[in-house]
Structures are given as structure tokens and as C-alpha cells.
Amino acid sequence: MTCCSYGWDTACGAGTDPASSALHVHCKAHDLDNLDVVDTGFFPSIGAVNPSLTAIANALRVGDHLLERLG
């Protein structure tokens, strides 16, 4: 897997294939069970608008998934 970023955002991609993404679709690292990314690092790119609300929404989504997973 190749990971490249020019800033704090978009540092790692999310997907189902560990060979082409660092994170699972629920933003959990493929290789580490206790690493979840809830900032803008999972974004494939950043558009022309501020991504704060999307990052917050994703953090809440990942939090719900963590509560479900850790039960």
C-alpha cells in the first residue's frame, strides 16, 4: 500500500482491501485492532469547503460503531 499526503488531511485511505487502503470502511486500521481514525485522515481528498462538519459526523458514526463493537 502506498500512502501519500501533502497536509494533515487525507493521510490514509479507507476501503475493504488492506493492500490499497490503511483503514477499514469503519475507519479502523486494517492491521491494528485498537487504532481508529476519526479525523479527516480518512478522506480521499479535501474539496473547496471546510470539512469540519463531515469530520464530526464521521467521528459520531465511528463512535457508534465502536460502542456496538465493544458492547
Side-chain angles (χ1 to χ4, degrees):
M1 182 197 78
T2 302
C3 201
C4 178
S5 178
Y6 296 102
W8 294 106
D9 304 321
T10 70
C12 48
T16 56
D17 183 11
S20 63
S21 61
L23 305 173
H24 183 269
V25 294
H26 292 294
C27 295
K28 182 182 109 26
H30 287 294
D31 297 333
L32 299 169
D33 191 44
N34 63 346
L35 177 63
D36 296 88
V37 176
V38 293
D39 63 0
T40 57
F42 79 97
F43 285 11
S45 66
I46 298 294
V49 296
N50 188 321
S52 296
L53 292 177
T54 305
I56 292 166
N58 186 63
L60 293 171
R61 181 185 72 85
V62 172
D64 287 342
H65 178 72
L66 283 171
L67 286 173
E68 199 176 286
R69 191 178 82 182
L70 300 175

